[in-house]
């Protein structure tokens, strides 16, 4: 029957939740402990089982996960962090919020991920050059980290990025908001010495009830600090303090944030984890159908997923040629099909234009791709009929032009 026929419209995204998630929430009500507690502990273990990472620290968003990760590796005012303008704004906001400077580097046209060639160019021209020829000193800053984004669920060029980081003594934080279940060269995203931040926001592959995030890593040196920064810098969380220990005292070790995940969120997340394989398989199936059915339209480009990568298909992105993308969005919406655009490059936002020297034209690939792209509906409750409706509607609009 399909989602469209049943509901009369097709949203861009729709979470897959059911009575299992509801029962999990009831379990939390029965226990009557709502903030971080036993559900969060279990969720962290179960998420690590999915990613194959040594540990995970749950927080209340991927934005929080990135902020806590940056604090944990010691990013502060006077530091530089390399990242991409082709991301959701919070990736770059978190860098700025630490006081550091976001050194933006353009993307590859083939996969919309940060270009490792351009990272090298930027490092060599702005930092190495500076040391060799002090006369060229541009800014008194220290380059400390690289923050790649696994765009749409397709991993960035991690091997190369990790090698660059090793060569220049930089840390890597991965924005894996889109990449739950993605793989790079046979390894799950999250199974890494880097700090890897995931999102459970409502439209992500799995949700913890609207908002949520987690950091996974194999580098256990980071775990304690991640936990400190996510809960005020306090060295003992409330559950163990109040339930298992005698005295209600604690110390504050660092200037932390209030980013911990609640037990209600974790309980929902634990049920969602049981569904992740089914969800990702279904997303892949929808993506394959789109690829097949859209392949004969000359105005559409679909970039292939690289052979050594497995995508979570968080987004299904097409490029539109020779047709006004915004007009297409409106025409699809008139026919009850919702689409989206990921992303307007960060340097084009007013705040960034007003506070940083970036300007239109600085990142030509990101800007070109932004003007062309469209994210089509993709979620597990869709079926082949829904894909057919989207494709036929696009064809009808493009043919009539
Ligand atoms: C690439 C990317 N990074 C970070 C985030 C932030 O995630 P959250 O909403 O969980 O803070 C998002 C959210 O959509 C995203 O798309």
């Amino acid at each position: 029957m399909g989602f469209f026929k049943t509901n009369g419209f097709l949203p861009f995204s729709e979470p897959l939740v059911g009575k299992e998630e509801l029962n999990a929430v009831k379990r939390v009500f029965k226990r009557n402990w709502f903030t971080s507690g036993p559900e969060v502990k279990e969720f962290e273990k179960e998420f690590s089982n999915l990613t194959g990472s040594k540990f995970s620290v749950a927080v209340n968003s991927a934005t929080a996960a990135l902020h806590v990760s940056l604090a944990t590796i010691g990013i502060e005012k006077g530091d530089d962090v390399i990242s991409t303008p082709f991301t959701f704004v919070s990736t770059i906001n978190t860098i700025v919020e630490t006081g550091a400077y976001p050194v933006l580097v353009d993307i590859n046209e083939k996969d919309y991920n940060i270009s490792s060639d351009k990272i090298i160019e930027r490092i060599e021209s702005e930092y190495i050059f500076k040391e060799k020829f002090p006369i060229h000193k541009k800014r008194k800053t220290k380059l400390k980290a690289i923050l790649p984004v696994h765009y749409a669920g397709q991993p960035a060029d991690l091997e190369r990025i990790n090698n660059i980081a090793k060569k220049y003594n930089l840390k890597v934080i991965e924005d894996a908001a889109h990449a739950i279940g993605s793989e790079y060269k046979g390894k799950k995203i999250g199974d890494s010495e880097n700090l890897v931040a995931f999102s459970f926001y409502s439209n992500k592959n799995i949700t913890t009830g609207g908002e949520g995030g987690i950091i996974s890593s194999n580098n256990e040196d980071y775990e304690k600090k991640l936990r400190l920064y996510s809960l005020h810098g306090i060295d003992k969380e409330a559950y163990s303090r109040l339930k298992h220990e005698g005295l209600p005292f604690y110390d504050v070790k660092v200037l932390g944030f209030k980013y911990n995940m609640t037990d209600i969120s974790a309980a929902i997340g634990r049920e969602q984890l049981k569904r992740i394989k089914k969800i990702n398989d279904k997303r892949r199936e929808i993506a394959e159908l789109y690829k097949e059915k859209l392949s004969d339209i000359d105005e559409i480009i679909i970039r292939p997923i690289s052979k050594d990568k497995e995508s979570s298909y968080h987004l299904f992105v097409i490029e539109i040629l020779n047709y006004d993308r915004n007009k297409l969005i409106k025409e699809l919406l008139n026919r009850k099909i919702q689409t989206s655009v990921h992303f307007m490059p960060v340097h084009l936002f007013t705040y960034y234009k007003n506070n940083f020297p970036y300007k239109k034209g600085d990142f030509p690939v990101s800007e070109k791709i932004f003007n062309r792209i469209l994210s089509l509906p993709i979620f597990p409750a869709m079926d082949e009929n829904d894909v057919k409706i989207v494709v036929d509607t696009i064809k009808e609009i493009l043919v009539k032009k």
Side-chain angles (χ1 to χ4, degrees):
M1 178 75 166
F3 193 98
F4 189 93
K5 289 238 168 79
T6 312
N7 298 281
F9 74 102
L10 199 59
F12 155 70
S13 162
E14 179 89 359
L16 181 70
V17 289
K19 63 177 185 334
E20 293 81 358
E21 282 77 5
L22 207 53
N23 287 337
V25 171
K26 284 186 191 158
R27 184 171 74 222
V28 176
F29 269 69
K30 272 198 199 130
R31 191 182 294 117
N32 213 12
W33 181 273
F34 292 96
T35 185
S36 314
E39 300 287 343
V40 169
K41 283 272 158 292
E42 289 308 308
F43 179 57
E44 288 175 342
K45 279 189 225 151
E46 288 161 8
F47 194 80
S48 293
N49 288 342
L50 169 77
T51 55
S53 54
K54 288 210 175 123
F55 72 92
S56 298
V57 176
V59 287
N60 57 22
S61 68
T63 306
L66 291 168
H67 198 187
V68 158
S69 299
L70 289 159
T72 295
I73 63 166
I75 299 298
E76 58 189 10
K77 193 167 167 40
D79 293 338
D80 283 2
V81 178
I82 288 179
S83 193
T84 161
F86 201 64
T87 184
F88 182 58
V89 68
S90 81
T91 315
I92 309 305
N93 281 354
T94 56
I95 297 172
V96 177
E97 278 154 4
T98 65
Y101 186 91
V103 177
L104 301 181
V105 168
D106 211 351
I107 53 169
N108 304 310
E109 195 157 336
K110 68 172 170 49
D111 63 0
Y112 318 133
N113 278 321
I114 192 165
S115 154
S116 39
D117 285 340
K118 287 179 191 147
I119 296 178
I120 294 171
E121 259 171 44
R122 190 71 189 256
I123 292 177
E124 288 182 351
S125 65
E126 195 155 333
Y127 300 92
I128 306 308
F129 202 53
K130 180 168 86 179
E131 280 163 24
K132 278 193 200 147
F133 305 98
I135 197 162
H136 286 281
K137 234 177 220 179
K138 289 177 187 155
R139 294 202 323 278
K140 290 194 178 75
T141 51
K142 283 176 277 172
L143 181 62
K144 287 269 188 70
I146 309 176
L147 204 173
V149 176
H150 303 312
Y151 178 88
Q154 174 165 209
D157 188 0
L158 276 174
E159 194 169 274
R160 196 117 182 267
I161 291 169
N162 288 337
N163 284 338
I164 298 168
K166 206 182 271 173
K167 180 167 174 194
Y168 295 109
N169 196 22
L170 308 171
K171 302 275 194 287
V172 177
I173 295 172
E174 298 170 39
D175 182 336
H178 299 179
I180 301 169
S182 298
E183 290 180 20
Y184 178 82
K185 300 202 169 174
K187 243 169 116 175
K188 278 269 178 344
I189 292 299
D191 179 3
S192 167
E193 290 295 307
N194 300 332
L195 290 175
V196 186
F198 297 88
S199 174
F200 306 118
Y201 178 68
S202 220
N203 71 6
K204 295 298 183 284
N205 289 29
I206 56 170
T207 184
T208 48
E211 304 288 350
I214 206 162
I215 306 123
S216 285
S217 181
N218 291 334
N219 189 337
E220 287 165 313
D221 294 347
Y222 289 135
E223 182 174 357
K224 200 164 167 218
K225 264 202 171 155
L226 289 167
R227 292 195 187 283
L228 282 175
Y229 277 112
S230 40
L231 194 66
H232 309 291
I234 289 175
D235 62 349
K236 282 176 201 159
E237 29 79 46
Y239 191 76
S240 48
R241 207 168 66 231
L242 298 178
K243 293 272 181 189
H244 302 304
E245 291 168 16
L247 293 169
F249 305 116
Y250 50 82
D251 191 15
V252 175
K253 304 276 194 193
V254 297
L255 187 62
F257 314 107
K258 171 66 174 171
Y259 283 162
N260 55 308
M261 180 180 273
T262 68
D263 255 23
I264 292 223
S265 290
I268 296 170
R270 292 181 67 195
E271 294 306 318
Q272 289 273 282
L273 279 178
K274 294 179 191 160
R275 300 183 193 268
I276 183 75
K277 184 167 179 335
K278 205 172 131 208
I279 289 175
N280 280 9
D281 284 350
K282 193 65 195 289
R283 297 182 88 98
R284 184 171 306 106
E285 195 184 307
I286 302 288
E288 293 305 329
L289 284 169
Y290 270 134
K291 283 185 210 167
E292 182 193 312
K293 294 181 192 300
L294 290 166
S295 63
D296 59 344
I297 309 182
D298 292 341
E299 290 92 342
I300 289 178
I301 298 180
I302 301 169
R303 308 280 177 182
I305 304 292
S306 156
K307 284 213 173 58
D308 53 2
K309 297 171 185 176
E310 194 64 63
S311 177
S312 62
Y313 285 104
H314 172 57
L315 302 173
F316 189 81
V317 177
I318 60 174
E319 285 170 49
I320 311 289
L321 307 177
N322 306 321
Y323 196 82
D324 182 337
R325 188 269 320 270
N326 294 350
K327 197 167 156 220
L328 181 59
I329 292 176
K330 281 192 205 143
E331 286 171 323
L332 285 168
L333 204 54
N334 287 341
R335 290 162 171 82
K336 307 273 186 257
I337 296 169
Q338 188 191 39
T339 54
S340 191
V341 173
H342 301 88
F343 296 97
M344 168 137 148
V346 169
H347 67 291
L348 302 179
F349 287 119
T350 303
Y351 170 80
Y352 282 90
K353 280 199 284 201
N354 289 347
N355 289 279
F356 294 89
Y358 299 120
K359 58 186 182 317
K360 202 167 176 201
D362 280 353
F363 305 103
V365 184
S366 299
E367 291 172 31
K368 177 174 102 177
I369 297 297
F370 161 62
N371 288 320
R372 288 178 173 181
I373 46 168
L374 189 63
S375 301
L376 299 183
I378 184 163
F379 56 91
M382 285 173 67
D383 71 5
E384 185 162 2
N385 288 318
D386 294 312
V387 175
K388 192 169 177 316
I389 288 169
V390 176
V391 172
D392 289 348
T393 312
I394 291 176
K395 281 185 180 169
E396 188 194 309
I397 296 168
L398 294 181
V399 164
K400 267 206 267 163
K401 69 176 176 177

